[in-house]
Amino acid sequence: MKIAMMALLLVAAQTASAHQAHLENFTTKPILADLADLKALDIPVLAKEESVGVGYAVITPEMQQKIQERAHKVGKCGGFEDLTTEKNFAALDFNSMLSSLAEIKAKNDLYDRAPFAAVKLEKSEKIESAVNEVSEQNLREWVTWLSSYPNRFNRSKTPNVHVDDMKRRLQTLLASSTLPYEISLIDHNSTPQKSVRVRITGSTRPNEIVVLGGHLDSINQGWGGGQQAPGADDNASGSANLLEILRIISQKAQPERSVEFFWYAGEESGLLGSAEIAKTYKAEKRDVVAVLQLDMTSYPGAGEFVIGNMTDFTSKWLHEYLRAVNETYLHARIVDDQCGYGCSDHASWFRQGYATLMPFEATMRADNPHIHTAKDVINDKTNFAHSAMYSKLGVVFAMDLANSTARQPY
């Protein structure tokens, strides 16, 4: 291990151009990850920000495997952000990147100390009616379909078979909608897999965007990810939630703000799709009001109708919004928890300064023990009533936030 550490430190000290060329061979990669994970695995930390618990490292494939194995053991989905998604990696200042994360967190923390009124919602009959349209049977059918692929790995020989099928399903789903919408596949530099986006254009404030997303890929922790990876819970469940939300709101009135749905590519390999998308949106100065991430929703390990609210790298304003939605429409039990940096795609948006929310199927240590294996299938522990709760949350998120002027109050 000492020899490996010296080699990695040497890599980090190379000139920018040589470093970039080395990375293109995919023998090592730069990442941001939870600082505690890097330390626990004795991975050299080349830069760090203690206030947010995030470190920068250059890792080998073996190290990546260890990070993913540890993430699985402690209940995480992803576990790191692959920085090869950055087009100009050689020019990046990682200390500034980490400082920026700290600044975003500090700004977010001001919410607790500022004299803002508590978020409250008035019950809407239209929204309540839409919430009641959520179908557990639809969720079961969509999860059954998505988990029928041998795997949805972003670097398989056919990484876009399910992506192309998803586009066709969306075309059928939206055929009867009278709303102005666009279905698109998004190419990425970091992976051959494509992300899927559906945009419903807002009527009066189309430049203000409410985002709902979840990753569409799956992985088996065996080397190369080529083994069976049905990913029924991780993340066919969240992907199905998004389909059900879209099915319902596509038949409602046009929202004032635009609503965008994402099924991200390559989350399991380091937030690949969402990282590129969020960076592009920030560079284009797109006004993303709020981001909801749905990643694993069908295994109620902490109890049926218990929501694990991830409080790190998420918005405190949206934590209050979640509680208001729950009090008004869901009536579940919310338990605050943390998952560390890079546990899912919300981290990509948070790093770009956007307000994010990550409601999880359970607390992290009570999540599905079969994720990232061939055993992640529909079984007697799969609970579609529990999963339906997250679709209901998404329906409110889309219909309420997209028809209001609410946003992070700073």
Side-chain angles (χ1 to χ4, degrees), residues 302-351:
E304 189 175 44
F305 308 132
V306 174
I307 297 173
N309 175 41
M310 298 302 116
T311 61
D312 52 343
F313 307 102
T314 51
S315 162
K316 297 197 175 186
W317 163 59
L318 286 178
H319 299 168
E320 283 203 14
Y321 183 76
L322 171 62
R323 292 185 176 89
V325 170
N326 184 55
E327 182 178 337
T328 308
Y329 296 104
L330 303 181
H331 314 297
R333 183 162 72 91
I334 297 173
V335 178
D336 288 347
D337 200 0
Q338 295 189 343
C339 63
Y341 188 76
C343 78
S344 196
D345 295 296
H346 61 285
S348 298
W349 294 96
F350 184 88
R351 188 158 78 80

Side-chain angles (χ1 to χ4, degrees), residues 31-35 38 45 47-49 53-57 98:
I31 66 165
L32 292 181
D34 188 276
L35 191 56
L38 295 175
V45 177
K48 63 182 179 180
E49 178 53 61
V54 178
Y56 160 65
L98 291 166

Side-chain angles (χ1 to χ4, degrees), residues 281-299:
Y281 275 45
K282 180 65 176 295
E284 294 175 352
K285 295 182 170 56
R286 298 202 190 187
D287 185 8
V288 177
V289 175
V291 177
L292 174 66
Q293 176 71 5
L294 296 178
D295 189 350
M296 299 170 56
T297 66
S298 64
Y299 182 88

Side-chain angles (χ1 to χ4, degrees), residues 21 37 40 53 59 61 70 78 86 99 111 122 124 155 171 206 221 254 268 276 321 370 396:
D37 290 345
I59 62 170
R70 176 174 169 81
E86 300 278 359
S99 296
Y111 188 92
E122 295 292 331
S124 160
R155 297 195 188 281
Q171 289 169 335
Q221 285 187 298
Q254 184 179 3
E268 299 287 11
E276 289 192 25
Y321 183 76
H370 297 308
V396 180

